[in-house]
Amino acid sequence: MNQFSNVDLSNLLLNLYGNSDEAIFFFNREGKVITMNRAAEEILDTDVYEQMMAGSTGAICKTCKGYTSTDELQTCQSCYMSNPDENISSFQVYFDTKGRGIIPYSASIQTIDEQFGIRVFMLRDLTQQFKTQEELNQKMMMQRVIKAQEDERKRISRELHDSVAQEMLSSLVDLRVLKYMNVDEEVLKKVQQTEGSLMRLLDDIRHLSVELRPATLDDLGLEAAFRTHFKWIEKNYGLIIHFHPELEAKRYGGEIETVVYRICQEAVFNALKYADVDELVVRLHVADGFLHLLVADEGKGFDLQDSDPQGTGLGIYSMKERAELVHGRLHITSEIGKGTMIQLEVPVLEGGNGE
Amino acid sequence: MKEWVGFNFQQEIERLKELFGFDYVGIALVQTPERGFELKWAYVTGNQSERHRRIILQSGKGVAGLVFKTGKPMYIGDALNELGTNNLFNYPIVVAEGLKSFGAIPLYKYNRVNGVMLVGYRKNQGLTVEQFEQFKQEIGKKFGPFYDKEMVKDESVQ
């Protein structure tokens, strides 16, 4: 400690007291404010400040909205000011501040002078940390929702494919048997029509199952799933997709494949909906331990900073969230009139895990 | 059915286009059952893009798919507002041809929808309800090998 002996400690402390963003109050044993620093003055409403300076002991309660106990978020039960001998190193308290409304603070109260019973009460603004915490929670929640949605889709898709479609197929076979029985011409015609309707229904169920989540993705991997999907897009919407898979049929684990598939699906749908193009390019390749996905069109493009996006505006957000699920990164470049490019890179173990 | 072999669809839709001043007329026909009852735009006139050639609709998808599935005419006076920008892409032919108002009718054969005729304008409120009604009257009970269920009381007529 000797090496610091020539430091002007009182000056440093004065600077801390005067310039800190933390509000510092000094109380005497009776709970009267002796003095407070600039940061403390700033959070107090003028009339509260005046009452405090006039020596009113209860003035602090006008601005304090309670502290967090194990029972309640904001409570006045056994107030931190009530016991002058108790030191609390940290607790959370809510203050109604001037101009900013009710804000959470991390507070501490301790006796610094036993003889005169002087206590110091310090407040640290927690808004920033709360915001960070909230963002983190939101992100975790979003990722869980994405996961839950994917699982549920998988379940329903399987159910449709394995049980509903199978049942339908057996009734179709039963119906076909009728053709070889001795039935009336008129009946036969009706049977054929019913067979047609059933076949259509079976097709609908299969399409629904694939739309929810393609079984090919789990069974055969990205390349096969994309090929089927793009063929479907071309048939349904007349959009040509130039697909360049350079994966050599490798597998990359269920989660990564799902993310890449969903992001690509979203990107292609966005191009379909908003880019006003007849064709687009999708490239899939591996380099330097990263799986790269590129979706590019030469359509309308859009302003990335636009706060009022076409559509729900959720698409790009959920694409980013999905990418983060597998520690991937998503780059979007777009220029009005030139087109849009979506790039995704996901770290993969070299060689894949051959799931 | 043989009497309709010589029916010229192309000529007929061009005549209708002229008569009503439509911007676009198209007929989607059901493909053979072996191909899973898909609908393809077989005859078109007034088209601005070739996208219709690639579009093969499943039952229930797109304008033709919907009319096919429901068996009822469809009328949209203001595509952008009635279908919504987020939903419009589900009607690829409307997007590709830039149709703003359109109507579609089912074409029946053997008591089933066998085709769909779409007529439309590239301007809002181009097709009015009255005009769509007139168009249906013009088609009448029969259109080539097809008939209009609404016009024919006895459904067994073929």
Side-chain angles (χ1 to χ4, degrees):
Chain A
M1 290 301 273
N2 280 342
Q3 66 207 68
F4 294 127
S5 58
N6 53 357
V7 173
D8 185 357
L9 189 61
S10 57
N11 196 26
L12 281 179
L13 283 175
L14 269 178
N15 277 339
L16 171 72
Y17 177 76
N19 299 328
S20 169
D21 278 334
E22 282 181 40
I24 302 171
F25 300 84
F26 289 99
F27 288 95
N28 64 10
R29 203 191 301 274
E30 287 76 45
K32 277 188 192 164
V33 175
I34 304 169
T35 184
M36 68 179 98
N37 71 348
R38 182 187 51 82
E41 286 169 25
E42 273 171 7
I43 63 171
L44 294 177
D45 263 325
T46 334
D47 58 321
V48 178
Y49 175 72
E50 274 162 11
Q51 282 184 40
M52 236 178 224
M53 288 332 254
S56 163
T57 46
I60 188 103
C61 293
K62 288 241 162 52
T63 182
C64 175
K65 293 294 163 203
Y67 77 105
T68 306
S69 74
T70 46
D71 299 323
E72 255 181 290
L73 188 66
Q74 281 165 258
T75 183
C76 287
Q77 278 286 310
S78 59
C79 175
Y80 52 92
M81 295 295 290
S82 59
N83 186 355
D85 295 320
E86 193 186 14
N87 291 339
I88 312 170
S89 61
S90 78
F91 58 99
Q92 194 182 314
V93 70
Y94 290 85
F95 266 63
D96 190 2
T97 60
K98 188 165 68 179
R100 288 174 66 203
I102 296 171
I103 290 183
Y105 285 97
S106 160
S108 70
I109 189 157
Q110 51 202 319
T111 306
I112 51 168
D113 190 329
E114 297 245 4
Q115 199 188 341
F116 298 102
I118 292 179
R119 298 176 12 113
V120 62
F121 178 53
M122 292 200 282
L123 292 174
R124 179 175 291 164
D125 190 345
L126 277 182
T127 338
Q128 192 66 34
Q129 198 202 324
F130 267 46
K131 223 184 236 167
T132 316
Q133 190 82 40
E134 202 171 309
E135 261 170 48
L136 182 70
N137 284 344
Q138 215 167 31
K139 208 171 249 179
M140 303 248 291
M141 189 58 86
M142 178 83 179
Q143 297 195 338
R144 255 179 237 154
V145 167
I146 290 175
K147 234 176 186 154
Q149 185 200 37
E150 200 64 50
D151 286 347
E152 190 62 6
R153 281 182 167 207
K154 200 172 182 171
R155 190 184 68 80
I156 299 174
S157 165
R158 289 265 166 195
E159 192 82 0
L160 282 176
H161 183 268
D162 296 348
S163 103
V164 180
Q166 285 310 313
E167 280 292 320
M168 188 140 290
L169 197 63
S170 12
S171 14
L172 204 55
V173 171
D174 282 347
L175 206 62
R176 277 180 190 154
V177 174
L178 270 182
K179 278 195 239 173
Y180 304 101
M181 291 164 122
N182 207 1
V183 284
D184 203 62
E185 180 75 17
E186 214 176 329
V187 177
L188 198 63
K189 197 153 191 182
K190 199 72 211 165
V191 167
Q192 268 167 355
Q193 283 182 352
T194 315
E195 189 190 330
S197 307
L198 266 184
M199 266 167 66
R200 237 176 7 242
L201 197 52
L202 187 60
D203 265 356
D204 281 358
I205 293 169
R206 282 193 181 135
H207 287 305
L208 207 59
S209 165
V210 171
E211 251 175 88
L212 275 169
R213 188 188 157 87
T216 25
L217 186 59
D218 300 309
D219 301 340
L220 298 166
L222 275 175
E223 196 180 322
F226 275 143
R227 279 192 196 285
T228 321
H229 182 59
F230 294 157
K231 210 157 81 190
W232 181 82
I233 293 263
E234 190 172 329
K235 262 172 76 172
N236 275 271
Y237 303 103
L239 180 78
I240 300 173
I241 296 165
H242 301 283
F243 182 41
H244 305 285
E246 293 151 40
L247 291 180
E248 292 147 13
K250 271 186 201 153
R251 303 300 305 271
Y252 296 96
E255 200 170 23
I256 291 177
E257 289 182 339
T258 305
V259 165
V260 174
Y261 184 81
R262 290 295 184 209
I263 288 179
C264 182
Q265 202 176 26
E266 180 71 34
V268 169
F269 263 117
N270 283 343
L272 181 69
K273 284 188 201 169
Y274 309 118
D276 194 16
V277 284
D278 263 1
E279 49 193 336
L280 58 88
V281 176
V282 175
R283 185 172 179 237
L284 208 54
H285 72 284
V286 175
D288 313 318
F290 282 93
L291 176 60
H292 296 262
L293 168 77
L294 173 85
V295 181
D297 69 62
E298 291 176 353
K300 277 187 193 161
F302 63 99
D303 185 1
L304 282 163
Q305 310 303 328
D306 195 351
S307 55
D308 182 29
Q310 269 187 292
T312 57
L314 271 174
I316 289 176
Y317 180 66
S318 78
M319 270 157 80
K320 283 191 172 145
E321 289 302 317
R322 278 184 192 276
E324 277 178 27
L325 270 178
V326 289
H327 315 290
R329 265 177 308 187
L330 190 76
H331 303 279
I332 301 170
T333 41
S334 187
E335 203 178 319
I336 288 171
K338 290 261 175 71
T340 306
M341 197 155 71
I342 312 276
Q343 285 167 289
L344 170 74
E345 43 184 55
V346 178
V348 285
L349 297 169
E350 202 48 65
N353 60 9
E355 199 188 358
Chain B
M1 287 290 91
K2 279 201 180 78
E3 55 184 306
W4 296 111
V5 166
F7 190 79
N8 192 330
F9 285 101
Q10 195 63 39
Q11 214 177 323
E12 191 59 20
I13 59 172
E14 273 161 27
R15 185 183 73 81
L16 287 166
K17 180 172 176 274
E18 283 301 308
L19 187 65
F20 288 95
F22 295 134
D23 286 328
Y24 176 89
V25 181
I27 292 180
L29 292 178
V30 172
Q31 308 295 294
T32 52
E34 291 78 45
R35 295 184 48 193
F37 292 99
E38 291 164 333
L39 288 152
K40 249 186 120 165
W41 293 102
Y43 305 96
V44 299
T45 180
N47 55 308
Q48 64 176 18
S49 112
E50 290 301 310
R51 203 146 148 181
H52 64 90
R53 289 181 194 278
R54 294 194 293 269
I55 299 171
I56 305 169
L57 295 160
Q58 293 151 17
S59 165
K61 305 267 178 188
V63 177
L66 271 179
V67 174
F68 175 77
K69 195 164 195 168
T70 58
K72 292 191 170 63
M74 177 176 179
Y75 168 77
I76 300 283
D78 179 354
L80 209 60
N81 283 323
E82 283 178 51
L83 300 175
T85 35
N86 287 322
N87 197 23
L88 198 62
F89 82 102
N90 279 318
Y91 304 89
I93 197 75
V94 178
V95 175
E97 295 299 334
L99 302 181
K100 296 283 192 297
S101 64
F102 62 88
I105 56 162
L107 300 170
Y108 278 84
K109 198 164 142 184
Y110 301 128
N111 260 331
R112 307 206 148 236
V113 187
N114 228 280
V116 173
M117 178 149 40
L118 169 72
V119 296
Y121 287 102
R122 293 195 178 93
K123 58 175 193 279
N124 270 337
Q125 301 302 329
L127 185 68
T128 59
V129 185
E130 294 77 35
Q131 202 186 10
F132 188 46
E133 214 43 58
Q134 272 171 25
F135 158 73
K136 284 197 271 187
Q137 292 298 331
E138 171 68 23
I139 298 291
K141 288 181 181 176
K142 275 190 176 279
F143 181 75
F146 305 114
Y147 62 92
D148 185 345
K149 204 174 180 180
E150 288 189 346
M151 303 278 178
V152 181
K153 292 281 177 284
D154 181 8
E155 290 187 0
S156 64
V157 171
Q158 282 172 15

